[in-house]
Amino acid sequence: MRNAITDVPGVLVGHATRIGDGALTGTTAVLFPPGTLSTVDVRGGAPATRDTAALDPRYGGREVRGVVLTGGSAYGLAAADGAARELGSFVPAAALFDLGRGGDFHARPGPAEGAEAVRRAGVEVGQGNVGAGTGALNATLKGGLGTASVALPGGVVVGAIAALNAVGPAVDVDTGLPFAAGLGLPGEFPAYQGDDLAAARVEGHAPPFNTVIGVVATNARLPHLFALAGAAQDGLATAVRPAHGLTDGDTVFAASTGTHDADAGEVLAAARAVFARALVHGLFRAESVTTPWGHLAAYRELYPRTAAEYRGN
């Protein structure tokens, strides 16, 4: 187990990352094995998506080869063109707002980034300032891309990947810990370190447009696949407070390869925790960035002792 969405057999992840020359953005492709069904849950008042209507949960979703998570807001959805050409099929996509965060408003993903992300897909999943998490922010902190998984009885696996880009903070200022740290597996996240508390009250302005985007996947057969996406959205609301606001476009794709029988309740409970844990990993793995607009400090810079105990397992 890699503690990654690629622990679900057949799921692959690839990134295209652009940093420098005014760019701070990227694209992530999540690929599924043949026969995988997918649907999507879109919440909040400002989504940027493509072909999500084709995954209408009223019809049980649809078989797809993969989905694209990308920066660049609505402009970045062009990355799905390149991914579709590489895969030879349509590719649903969701974008987050990171325009101009590297200095150039026009530096955003396109077809080339989508194709590159597909070509780079494998079982090892980069985290932090990579792919769709490259230009992400979380309130006044640098956000990032994270992934997590859990094994259930009978060979069932639930995994998630998510880009933390939200106006609602993911850190409890009274403890200095992520809100969802308590959902971690044994030893996954560090315990509270008291001398970090002074760093918790940082000043700054949260970004005006925000979106958490991600994928939750399993090899379990489920009677209602849309419930898997909804459970992941519940996990999002645990990790980020508040979530699903008017300026959010929180979008979660759900995918099932359907190879194993499972207790649906156990799978949904696992999805809530796994998606929240993926967001915590995105927070811990993010790195500080200095741009023409200023310094974007990461959690590891402002909470050094707690971050030093994080092992990323």
Side-chain angles (χ1 to χ4, degrees):
M1 296 286 287
R2 290 170 286 269
N3 198 15
I5 192 173
T6 52
D7 288 325
V8 179
V11 176
L12 305 174
V13 172
H15 306 300
T17 302
R18 300 290 182 263
I19 300 175
D21 296 326
L24 188 65
T25 190
T27 298
T28 296
V30 184
L31 308 186
F32 309 131
T36 299
L37 289 178
S38 181
T39 188
V40 64
D41 186 349
V42 181
R43 302 189 189 181
T49 61
R50 167 173 161 160
D51 286 335
T52 51
L55 307 182
D56 194 323
R58 292 176 296 177
Y59 306 107
R62 181 171 175 175
E63 182 177 341
V64 296
R65 288 294 313 280
V67 299
V68 162
L69 309 175
T70 186
S73 192
Y75 302 104
L77 294 173
D81 292 339
R85 285 198 293 269
E86 286 291 317
L87 292 174
S89 64
F90 90 103
V91 178
L96 56 77
F97 187 95
D98 60 7
L99 294 174
R101 290 182 181 164
D104 183 356
F105 185 90
H106 300 284
R108 54 215 183 205
E113 285 71 25
E116 178 183 335
V118 170
R119 290 194 298 267
R120 291 179 175 273
V123 295
E124 297 300 326
V125 182
Q127 299 183 73
N129 296 11
V130 298
T134 304
L137 292 178
N138 174 230
T140 57
L141 293 176
K142 180 70 180 70
L145 191 77
T147 189
S149 70
V150 67
L152 300 179
V156 173
V157 180
V158 181
I161 187 168
L164 176 62
N165 187 68
V167 66
V171 179
D172 184 346
V173 297
D174 291 326
T175 66
L177 282 178
F179 287 120
L183 296 176
L185 301 178
E188 184 173 17
F189 302 126
Y192 168 58
Q193 301 296 317
D195 63 0
D196 273 342
L197 185 59
R201 303 187 186 283
V202 296
E203 295 184 359
H205 298 286
F209 302 105
N210 324 276
T211 296
V212 173
I213 53 177
V215 180
V216 59
T218 184
N219 58 353
R221 279 185 286 270
L222 296 172
H224 303 291
L225 183 57
F226 183 69
L228 185 68
Q233 290 276 20
D234 292 343
L236 191 169
T238 300
V240 175
R241 304 177 187 177
H244 310 146
L246 289 177
T247 59
D248 296 315
D250 300 329
T251 300
V252 178
F253 295 94
S256 170
T257 63
T259 60
H260 287 63
D261 291 322
D263 180 278
E266 290 184 358
V267 173
L268 297 183
R272 294 184 191 99
V274 165
F275 200 87
R277 288 168 46 216
L279 290 169
V280 176
H281 283 293
L283 180 73
F284 275 122
R285 293 294 189 96
E287 299 178 9
S288 301
V289 176
T290 299
T291 77
W293 306 114
H295 185 67
L296 305 178
Y299 182 93
R300 63 175 65 189
E301 176 183 339
L302 298 178
Y303 301 84
R305 185 175 172 190
T306 302
E309 293 204 352
Y310 171 68
R311 296 292 179 264
N313 54 319

